[in-house]
Amino acid sequence: APTVTYTYCNTTNNTIINTLRLIAETQYGCTDTLTQLIVIYPEISADFTALPDTEGCHPFLVTLAELTSGADSLYWDFGDGSFIIDTVVDQIHLFINDTFNLDTIYNVELIAISQYGCPSDTIRQDILVHPKPTACFALDTTEGCTPLTVNIDLSCAAGYDSLFWDFGDGETDDGVKLSHNYDNTTDSTVCYIMQMIAQTQYGCADTIRDTICVHPEIDVKFAIVPDTVGCQAYPAQLFNLSTGADTFYWDLGDNTFIVTDQDTTINHIWTNLNVVPPDSVYNITLVGISSFGCRSDTTSDGIRVHPKPAANFTVDVDTGCSCFTVTITNLASGFDSLFWDFGDGSPPSTDTSSSLVHTYCNITDSTVNYILKLIAVTQYGCADTLTDTIKVHPEVTANFTVFDSIGCDPFAVCFFNLSLGEDSYDWDFGDGDSSIIENPCHTFTNTSDTLDSTYVVELIVSSVFGCGSDTARDTIIVHPTPTAGFTVDTNEGISPVVITITGLSTWADSVYWDFGDQTDTTTVSPAAPFTHTYTNTTGSIIDYPLCAIAQTNLGCTDTFCLPIKVHPEIDANFAIVPNDSGCHPFTIDLINLSLRADTFYWNFGDLSPIFVTTDKNTVITHTYYNSSAINDTTYCITLTAVSDSGARDTMTQCIVVHPKPLANFSVDINAGCSPLTITIFNTSTPFGSLNYFWVFSDSLLPNTTSSASFTHSYVNTSSIPISYTITLLVNNSNGCTDTLIDTITVYPEITAQFGIVPDTGCSPLDVQFFNNTIPPDLSNYNWDFGDSLFSTDTNPTHPYLNPSLFDTTYYPCLIATTAFGCKDSICDSV
């Protein structure tokens, strides 16, 4: 048919493109094609919704959320004289109602327009805006003293259906309010927020607030601490407990006037100078005034002050030697009771008579001052005190002591004075010597070999206060003392030293030997020869004090000592760190553990020079080698330790150095294209007796093959060359190891592939070749179209001809080559 009618529809929001194709074909299958694109634009549908609602209170902010489809631009008419042309986006618009009692309706219109000239679409919707009321009031006052009445004028409020009140003091109300009462029960100014909410029947509301500050009521009061009653010179504190006032006027009742603030505490002393009644009474008045003009307040309280008694007395004598009697004359007045404290520990007295007596004694060795005290007290507890000092000198008593009164010649004795009341000393030691010091020391002698000597010691003491003198005596006995002595065959040697001792003590009943080396003290007859062995395990010379203590049966002793010089014994010793065997090259540390030596000679046993040091703490580091690849090598180390006194000792220890293997291998190729298979040749020595660990960087598991040769394949699926490492670790039966690392470079693999469009057709046939080689962009391309024509383009186009009467098949091929020389080829047919 010459004309074909077809209807296209588009129910989406996007433009749709359809292809109309006409194919003409002969009976032999030869064809020709014509295509035409048909563009269908979407149908326009205008729509929107109002959020949060289509009805609200002034000022009403509405979001017009567009739901239009098929449009490119929108025309908005908001119904209030404003409009906007915009793209397809939501609109936010503020709708106003300036009236107080009438609703306002806005007709919003949306016209959706397409850029393709399709018919526009229109939608309308009403927005209803209710009027907003006016919340308003006026107050006759916003500040005052409690209780405060605030009058409210509502004449300025308009357009409301109901009112709600929050007065800020915990009270609320509904309806019309013309006044409100505020009470402030605190001690400081309180400000309240009065709030009125005016509301219409549609929920439209307006709010107004004002602040009312109410000053507290003045309450004046104070406290008297500690009490309102006291004795003459009564100190009291006045604590201000008032509230609501700023300034305070105090009348303390004794012609004292003070102006203070709230936080000031009054400290004051009230007096009564009488000795006998009456009491003094003081009326205290406090007036509090507020700076806000609130009315003042006044309060009063009183303090009563009792008179104070007078304590008074005299004594006939206030100084004397122990013991003496004092007569006391009582002169006190205005009291109800008396209390006497004599100051010497005797019981107190409440005697109120005009005269009394008391005896004072002193049993110490110095003058004592006793405090005589009289306390006069009234029935109200008011008191007065008077004191006097009674000085009592000590009675003189002679006495002394010694730690020991019997001893051996020469016998040094120290005398300790225990006398009381003295101030001068006269000592007679009974051997013609004397002293006048308080605590003398004296040495008594005995020139006899067998008999004791006896001495009578006498002490006479006197008092500077004229309180007399006294005498004390004691006896000192002095025993005779023996003489200690001995000889030795030698007094110096290298440890161990054996010495022979011959005793020479006289007048001794026994001899005690102290060898000075902490061995047990031995008792032998005074002159019997014997031997003793001394050792020295330190690092220096020791002088041992050898002593003979000669003693009598009465315990008298004499001591004679000689030093025995013992040189230290040598002990050569050392440790090998970390151990005594290791792999070539084997480095060890030699730790010197020798004792009591001064110079050290090290022979390492490997033809290296002898090393000499005088520092024991020097750590010797030495490296041993084994040139064999199979057998162990043994070295013996000798340390000779020598002291400055000539003593020496030697120690030898041997070490074993194991041979180190040699890791070695070669590869037939170390660079190539993926996939790359290489042959590895193991040339480690000594071959066959080692453990082999092959680590390939493209594999997580090591290879432990011991073959002389083997293969390994590498694959590179990336677009860049990758370097892989081959690591060979070998070890022998002793754990000695060696490592060799080589690198293999693998170029990226290339896969040639292409597509043909079309691959069948009538001559002349234009064919498009699509190169899909992996990886792309890194290759050189050589095309052989199979008809003796070639190309190096990436995606060539080639025309094929068939001049014959029969179908002809061509075989195009692609050879792809990377920059690293890696190649791949593929062929197809047309």
PDB file of all heavy atoms in Angstrom, residues 16 54 84 101 168 181 212 229 241 247 354 379 394 406 426 461 488 521-522 549 618 626 691 697 724 748 762 797 807:
ATOM      1  N   ILE A  16      10.501   9.259  24.254  1.00  0.00           N
ATOM      2  CA  ILE A  16      10.767   7.919  23.704  1.00  0.00           C
ATOM      3  C   ILE A  16      11.093   8.073  22.225  1.00  0.00           C
ATOM      4  O   ILE A  16      10.423   8.805  21.481  1.00  0.00           O
ATOM      5  CB  ILE A  16       9.555   6.987  23.899  1.00  0.00           C
ATOM      6  CG1 ILE A  16       9.299   6.755  25.407  1.00  0.00           C
ATOM      7  CG2 ILE A  16       9.773   5.653  23.195  1.00  0.00           C
ATOM      8  CD1 ILE A  16       8.076   5.913  25.676  1.00  0.00           C
ATOM      9  N   THR A  54      -4.087  22.905  53.155  1.00  0.00           N
ATOM     10  CA  THR A  54      -4.613  24.006  52.332  1.00  0.00           C
ATOM     11  C   THR A  54      -5.291  25.054  53.188  1.00  0.00           C
ATOM     12  O   THR A  54      -5.833  26.028  52.664  1.00  0.00           O
ATOM     13  CB  THR A  54      -5.615  23.457  51.299  1.00  0.00           C
ATOM     14  OG1 THR A  54      -6.677  22.801  52.010  1.00  0.00           O
ATOM     15  CG2 THR A  54      -4.928  22.461  50.373  1.00  0.00           C
ATOM     16  N   ILE A  84       5.355  33.336  39.376  1.00  0.00           N
ATOM     17  CA  ILE A  84       6.745  32.965  39.084  1.00  0.00           C
ATOM     18  C   ILE A  84       6.752  31.921  37.991  1.00  0.00           C
ATOM     19  O   ILE A  84       5.832  31.085  37.887  1.00  0.00           O
ATOM     20  CB  ILE A  84       7.458  32.430  40.344  1.00  0.00           C
ATOM     21  CG1 ILE A  84       8.950  32.257  40.074  1.00  0.00           C
ATOM     22  CG2 ILE A  84       6.860  31.114  40.819  1.00  0.00           C
ATOM     23  CD1 ILE A  84       9.743  31.939  41.336  1.00  0.00           C
ATOM     24  N   ASN A 101     -10.870  39.563  61.504  1.00  0.00           N
ATOM     25  CA  ASN A 101     -12.026  38.696  61.718  1.00  0.00           C
ATOM     26  C   ASN A 101     -12.537  38.032  60.447  1.00  0.00           C
ATOM     27  O   ASN A 101     -13.551  37.345  60.486  1.00  0.00           O
ATOM     28  CB  ASN A 101     -13.174  39.481  62.362  1.00  0.00           C
ATOM     29  CG  ASN A 101     -13.465  40.789  61.614  1.00  0.00           C
ATOM     30  OD1 ASN A 101     -12.983  40.972  60.496  1.00  0.00           O
ATOM     31  ND2 ASN A 101     -14.259  41.660  62.207  1.00  0.00           N
ATOM     32  N   GLY A 168       3.131  33.333  85.955  1.00  0.00           N
ATOM     33  CA  GLY A 168       4.547  33.124  86.290  1.00  0.00           C
ATOM     34  C   GLY A 168       4.799  32.769  87.734  1.00  0.00           C
ATOM     35  O   GLY A 168       5.946  32.506  88.115  1.00  0.00           O
ATOM     36  N   ASN A 181      -2.748  39.344  92.010  1.00  0.00           N
ATOM     37  CA  ASN A 181      -1.989  39.627  93.229  1.00  0.00           C
ATOM     38  C   ASN A 181      -0.719  38.758  93.269  1.00  0.00           C
ATOM     39  O   ASN A 181      -0.785  37.537  93.062  1.00  0.00           O
ATOM     40  CB  ASN A 181      -2.839  39.340  94.472  1.00  0.00           C
ATOM     41  CG  ASN A 181      -4.031  40.276  94.556  1.00  0.00           C
ATOM     42  OD1 ASN A 181      -3.933  41.452  94.202  1.00  0.00           O
ATOM     43  ND2 ASN A 181      -5.161  39.759  95.032  1.00  0.00           N
ATOM     44  N   ILE A 212       7.107  41.304  85.896  1.00  0.00           N
ATOM     45  CA  ILE A 212       6.746  42.012  87.129  1.00  0.00           C
ATOM     46  C   ILE A 212       7.735  41.604  88.200  1.00  0.00           C
ATOM     47  O   ILE A 212       7.896  40.395  88.471  1.00  0.00           O
ATOM     48  CB  ILE A 212       5.300  41.677  87.573  1.00  0.00           C
ATOM     49  CG1 ILE A 212       4.289  42.184  86.532  1.00  0.00           C
ATOM     50  CG2 ILE A 212       5.006  42.279  88.940  1.00  0.00           C
ATOM     51  CD1 ILE A 212       3.919  41.192  85.487  1.00  0.00           C
ATOM     52  N   VAL A 229      22.776  36.262 128.790  1.00  0.00           N
ATOM     53  CA  VAL A 229      23.192  36.546 130.166  1.00  0.00           C
ATOM     54  C   VAL A 229      24.654  36.183 130.298  1.00  0.00           C
ATOM     55  O   VAL A 229      25.083  35.130 129.845  1.00  0.00           O
ATOM     56  CB  VAL A 229      22.350  35.744 131.192  1.00  0.00           C
ATOM     57  CG1 VAL A 229      22.813  36.054 132.618  1.00  0.00           C
ATOM     58  CG2 VAL A 229      20.872  36.071 131.036  1.00  0.00           C
ATOM     59  N   LEU A 241      19.749  37.928 111.268  1.00  0.00           N
ATOM     60  CA  LEU A 241      18.931  36.902 110.618  1.00  0.00           C
ATOM     61  C   LEU A 241      17.788  37.525 109.816  1.00  0.00           C
ATOM     62  O   LEU A 241      16.825  36.841 109.461  1.00  0.00           O
ATOM     63  CB  LEU A 241      18.347  35.948 111.672  1.00  0.00           C
ATOM     64  CG  LEU A 241      19.367  35.287 112.607  1.00  0.00           C
ATOM     65  CD1 LEU A 241      18.653  34.413 113.627  1.00  0.00           C
ATOM     66  CD2 LEU A 241      20.382  34.471 111.824  1.00  0.00           C
ATOM     67  N   THR A 247      19.951  47.805 104.596  1.00  0.00           N
ATOM     68  CA  THR A 247      20.727  48.586 105.554  1.00  0.00           C
ATOM     69  C   THR A 247      20.132  48.371 106.948  1.00  0.00           C
ATOM     70  O   THR A 247      18.911  48.322 107.116  1.00  0.00           O
ATOM     71  CB  THR A 247      20.689  50.075 105.202  1.00  0.00           C
ATOM     72  OG1 THR A 247      21.154  50.234 103.853  1.00  0.00           O
ATOM     73  CG2 THR A 247      21.587  50.878 106.139  1.00  0.00           C
ATOM     74  N   SER A 354      39.005  34.031 157.087  1.00  0.00           N
ATOM     75  CA  SER A 354      39.889  35.179 156.795  1.00  0.00           C
ATOM     76  C   SER A 354      41.355  34.794 156.810  1.00  0.00           C
ATOM     77  O   SER A 354      42.190  35.544 156.304  1.00  0.00           O
ATOM     78  CB  SER A 354      39.631  36.308 157.802  1.00  0.00           C
ATOM     79  OG  SER A 354      39.901  35.843 159.122  1.00  0.00           O
ATOM     80  N   GLN A 379      27.142  33.213 142.569  1.00  0.00           N
ATOM     81  CA  GLN A 379      26.102  32.220 142.325  1.00  0.00           C
ATOM     82  C   GLN A 379      25.783  32.099 140.832  1.00  0.00           C
ATOM     83  O   GLN A 379      25.224  31.098 140.380  1.00  0.00           O
ATOM     84  CB  GLN A 379      24.825  32.598 143.080  1.00  0.00           C
ATOM     85  CG  GLN A 379      24.263  33.958 142.690  1.00  0.00           C
ATOM     86  CD  GLN A 379      22.971  34.298 143.416  1.00  0.00           C
ATOM     87  OE1 GLN A 379      22.203  33.392 143.756  1.00  0.00           O
ATOM     88  NE2 GLN A 379      22.758  35.589 143.683  1.00  0.00           N
ATOM     89  N   PRO A 394      65.338  22.895 147.797  1.00  0.00           N
ATOM     90  CA  PRO A 394      65.379  21.476 148.173  1.00  0.00           C
ATOM     91  C   PRO A 394      66.172  21.262 149.463  1.00  0.00           C
ATOM     92  O   PRO A 394      67.082  22.026 149.804  1.00  0.00           O
ATOM     93  CB  PRO A 394      66.059  20.829 146.979  1.00  0.00           C
ATOM     94  CG  PRO A 394      66.933  21.894 146.412  1.00  0.00           C
ATOM     95  CD  PRO A 394      66.172  23.181 146.604  1.00  0.00           C
ATOM     96  N   ILE A 406      83.517  -3.316 141.500  1.00  0.00           N
ATOM     97  CA  ILE A 406      84.591  -4.319 141.538  1.00  0.00           C
ATOM     98  C   ILE A 406      85.095  -4.488 140.120  1.00  0.00           C
ATOM     99  O   ILE A 406      84.316  -4.727 139.192  1.00  0.00           O
ATOM    100  CB  ILE A 406      84.090  -5.669 142.100  1.00  0.00           C
ATOM    101  CG1 ILE A 406      83.533  -5.493 143.508  1.00  0.00           C
ATOM    102  CG2 ILE A 406      85.196  -6.708 142.089  1.00  0.00           C
ATOM    103  CD1 ILE A 406      82.916  -6.755 144.094  1.00  0.00           C
ATOM    104  N   ASP A 426      82.528  17.669 146.873  1.00  0.00           N
ATOM    105  CA  ASP A 426      83.894  17.417 147.367  1.00  0.00           C
ATOM    106  C   ASP A 426      84.095  15.907 147.394  1.00  0.00           C
ATOM    107  O   ASP A 426      83.565  15.204 148.253  1.00  0.00           O
ATOM    108  CB  ASP A 426      84.065  18.025 148.769  1.00  0.00           C
ATOM    109  CG  ASP A 426      85.500  17.919 149.270  1.00  0.00           C
ATOM    110  OD1 ASP A 426      86.361  17.468 148.471  1.00  0.00           O
ATOM    111  OD2 ASP A 426      85.744  18.263 150.428  1.00  0.00           O
ATOM    112  N   VAL A 461      78.345  17.083 149.966  1.00  0.00           N
ATOM    113  CA  VAL A 461      77.631  18.080 149.163  1.00  0.00           C
ATOM    114  C   VAL A 461      77.075  19.153 150.074  1.00  0.00           C
ATOM    115  O   VAL A 461      76.766  18.915 151.245  1.00  0.00           O
ATOM    116  CB  VAL A 461      76.484  17.427 148.357  1.00  0.00           C
ATOM    117  CG1 VAL A 461      77.034  16.471 147.331  1.00  0.00           C
ATOM    118  CG2 VAL A 461      75.500  16.716 149.283  1.00  0.00           C
ATOM    119  N   VAL A 488     104.564 -16.464 116.453  1.00  0.00           N
ATOM    120  CA  VAL A 488     104.150 -17.284 115.311  1.00  0.00           C
ATOM    121  C   VAL A 488     105.359 -17.546 114.437  1.00  0.00           C
ATOM    122  O   VAL A 488     106.323 -16.755 114.430  1.00  0.00           O
ATOM    123  CB  VAL A 488     103.051 -16.580 114.486  1.00  0.00           C
ATOM    124  CG1 VAL A 488     101.767 -16.449 115.300  1.00  0.00           C
ATOM    125  CG2 VAL A 488     103.498 -15.196 114.018  1.00  0.00           C
ATOM    126  N   THR A 521      86.405 -19.393 118.570  1.00  0.00           N
ATOM    127  CA  THR A 521      87.491 -19.081 119.497  1.00  0.00           C
ATOM    128  C   THR A 521      87.851 -20.344 120.281  1.00  0.00           C
ATOM    129  O   THR A 521      86.981 -21.046 120.762  1.00  0.00           O
ATOM    130  CB  THR A 521      87.063 -17.971 120.449  1.00  0.00           C
ATOM    131  OG1 THR A 521      86.714 -16.815 119.689  1.00  0.00           O
ATOM    132  CG2 THR A 521      88.189 -17.623 121.414  1.00  0.00           C
ATOM    133  N   THR A 522      89.142 -20.610 120.373  1.00  0.00           N
ATOM    134  CA  THR A 522      89.601 -21.859 120.977  1.00  0.00           C
ATOM    135  C   THR A 522      90.307 -21.567 122.295  1.00  0.00           C
ATOM    136  O   THR A 522      91.068 -20.598 122.407  1.00  0.00           O
ATOM    137  CB  THR A 522      90.572 -22.602 120.037  1.00  0.00           C
ATOM    138  OG1 THR A 522      89.927 -22.803 118.794  1.00  0.00           O
ATOM    139  CG2 THR A 522      90.979 -23.939 120.626  1.00  0.00           C
ATOM    140  N   ILE A 549      93.739 -13.753 124.447  1.00  0.00           N
ATOM    141  CA  ILE A 549      93.113 -13.070 125.578  1.00  0.00           C
ATOM    142  C   ILE A 549      93.416 -13.886 126.828  1.00  0.00           C
ATOM    143  O   ILE A 549      92.876 -14.993 127.004  1.00  0.00           O
ATOM    144  CB  ILE A 549      91.600 -12.917 125.389  1.00  0.00           C
ATOM    145  CG1 ILE A 549      91.305 -12.103 124.112  1.00  0.00           C
ATOM    146  CG2 ILE A 549      90.960 -12.247 126.586  1.00  0.00           C
ATOM    147  CD1 ILE A 549      90.901 -12.933 122.959  1.00  0.00           C
ATOM    148  N   THR A 618      86.062  -6.939  81.045  1.00  0.00           N
ATOM    149  CA  THR A 618      86.117  -6.827  79.592  1.00  0.00           C
ATOM    150  C   THR A 618      85.548  -8.091  78.952  1.00  0.00           C
ATOM    151  O   THR A 618      85.983  -9.208  79.253  1.00  0.00           O
ATOM    152  CB  THR A 618      87.559  -6.610  79.111  1.00  0.00           C
ATOM    153  OG1 THR A 618      88.059  -5.394  79.678  1.00  0.00           O
ATOM    154  CG2 THR A 618      87.617  -6.534  77.594  1.00  0.00           C
ATOM    155  N   ASN A 626      85.551 -21.767  59.515  1.00  0.00           N
ATOM    156  CA  ASN A 626      85.722 -23.147  59.058  1.00  0.00           C
ATOM    157  C   ASN A 626      85.753 -23.114  57.546  1.00  0.00           C
ATOM    158  O   ASN A 626      84.742 -22.826  56.894  1.00  0.00           O
ATOM    159  CB  ASN A 626      84.559 -24.011  59.576  1.00  0.00           C
ATOM    160  CG  ASN A 626      84.745 -25.484  59.214  1.00  0.00           C
ATOM    161  OD1 ASN A 626      85.600 -25.832  58.413  1.00  0.00           O
ATOM    162  ND2 ASN A 626      83.894 -26.331  59.810  1.00  0.00           N
ATOM    163  N   ASN A 691      69.102 -29.660  53.046  1.00  0.00           N
ATOM    164  CA  ASN A 691      67.669 -29.456  52.948  1.00  0.00           C
ATOM    165  C   ASN A 691      67.437 -28.180  52.135  1.00  0.00           C
ATOM    166  O   ASN A 691      68.107 -27.162  52.355  1.00  0.00           O
ATOM    167  CB  ASN A 691      67.051 -29.305  54.334  1.00  0.00           C
ATOM    168  CG  ASN A 691      67.221 -30.543  55.184  1.00  0.00           C
ATOM    169  OD1 ASN A 691      67.023 -31.657  54.710  1.00  0.00           O
ATOM    170  ND2 ASN A 691      67.606 -30.348  56.447  1.00  0.00           N
ATOM    171  N   SER A 697      57.625 -16.019  44.871  1.00  0.00           N
ATOM    172  CA  SER A 697      56.800 -14.894  45.324  1.00  0.00           C
ATOM    173  C   SER A 697      55.382 -14.920  44.768  1.00  0.00           C
ATOM    174  O   SER A 697      54.534 -14.133  45.190  1.00  0.00           O
ATOM    175  CB  SER A 697      57.467 -13.560  44.962  1.00  0.00           C
ATOM    176  OG  SER A 697      57.656 -13.458  43.566  1.00  0.00           O
ATOM    177  N   TYR A 724      59.063 -11.233  39.798  1.00  0.00           N
ATOM    178  CA  TYR A 724      58.892 -12.269  40.817  1.00  0.00           C
ATOM    179  C   TYR A 724      60.267 -12.675  41.332  1.00  0.00           C
ATOM    180  O   TYR A 724      61.260 -12.686  40.590  1.00  0.00           O
ATOM    181  CB  TYR A 724      58.182 -13.493  40.239  1.00  0.00           C
ATOM    182  CG  TYR A 724      56.776 -13.219  39.760  1.00  0.00           C
ATOM    183  CD1 TYR A 724      56.513 -12.962  38.421  1.00  0.00           C
ATOM    184  CD2 TYR A 724      55.709 -13.219  40.647  1.00  0.00           C
ATOM    185  CE1 TYR A 724      55.228 -12.701  37.973  1.00  0.00           C
ATOM    186  CE2 TYR A 724      54.413 -12.975  40.212  1.00  0.00           C
ATOM    187  CZ  TYR A 724      54.177 -12.713  38.873  1.00  0.00           C
ATOM    188  OH  TYR A 724      52.903 -12.483  38.443  1.00  0.00           O
ATOM    189  N   PRO A 748      53.274  -8.801  30.575  1.00  0.00           N
ATOM    190  CA  PRO A 748      51.840  -9.121  30.571  1.00  0.00           C
ATOM    191  C   PRO A 748      51.450  -9.970  29.372  1.00  0.00           C
ATOM    192  O   PRO A 748      51.968  -9.803  28.270  1.00  0.00           O
ATOM    193  CB  PRO A 748      51.173  -7.744  30.551  1.00  0.00           C
ATOM    194  CG  PRO A 748      52.205  -6.801  30.075  1.00  0.00           C
ATOM    195  CD  PRO A 748      53.521  -7.345  30.514  1.00  0.00           C
ATOM    196  N   CYS A 762      26.421  -9.002   0.481  1.00  0.00           N
ATOM    197  CA  CYS A 762      26.559  -8.950  -0.987  1.00  0.00           C
ATOM    198  C   CYS A 762      27.692  -8.001  -1.371  1.00  0.00           C
ATOM    199  O   CYS A 762      27.944  -6.998  -0.691  1.00  0.00           O
ATOM    200  CB  CYS A 762      25.252  -8.470  -1.634  1.00  0.00           C
ATOM    201  SG  CYS A 762      23.872  -9.607  -1.362  1.00  0.00           S
ATOM    202  N   THR A 797      38.258  -0.444   8.790  1.00  0.00           N
ATOM    203  CA  THR A 797      37.102  -0.786   7.926  1.00  0.00           C
ATOM    204  C   THR A 797      37.662  -1.242   6.566  1.00  0.00           C
ATOM    205  O   THR A 797      38.545  -0.583   5.999  1.00  0.00           O
ATOM    206  CB  THR A 797      36.197   0.431   7.742  1.00  0.00           C
ATOM    207  OG1 THR A 797      35.705   0.846   9.028  1.00  0.00           O
ATOM    208  CG2 THR A 797      35.019   0.097   6.852  1.00  0.00           C
ATOM    209  N   ASP A 807      29.726 -17.499  -4.300  1.00  0.00           N
ATOM    210  CA  ASP A 807      30.151 -16.921  -2.992  1.00  0.00           C
ATOM    211  C   ASP A 807      31.654 -17.097  -2.805  1.00  0.00           C
ATOM    212  O   ASP A 807      32.233 -18.118  -3.235  1.00  0.00           O
ATOM    213  CB  ASP A 807      29.427 -17.621  -1.833  1.00  0.00           C
ATOM    214  CG  ASP A 807      27.953 -17.251  -1.785  1.00  0.00           C
ATOM    215  OD1 ASP A 807      27.575 -16.279  -2.449  1.00  0.00           O
ATOM    216  OD2 ASP A 807      27.203 -17.939  -1.042  1.00  0.00           O
TER     217      ASP A 807
END
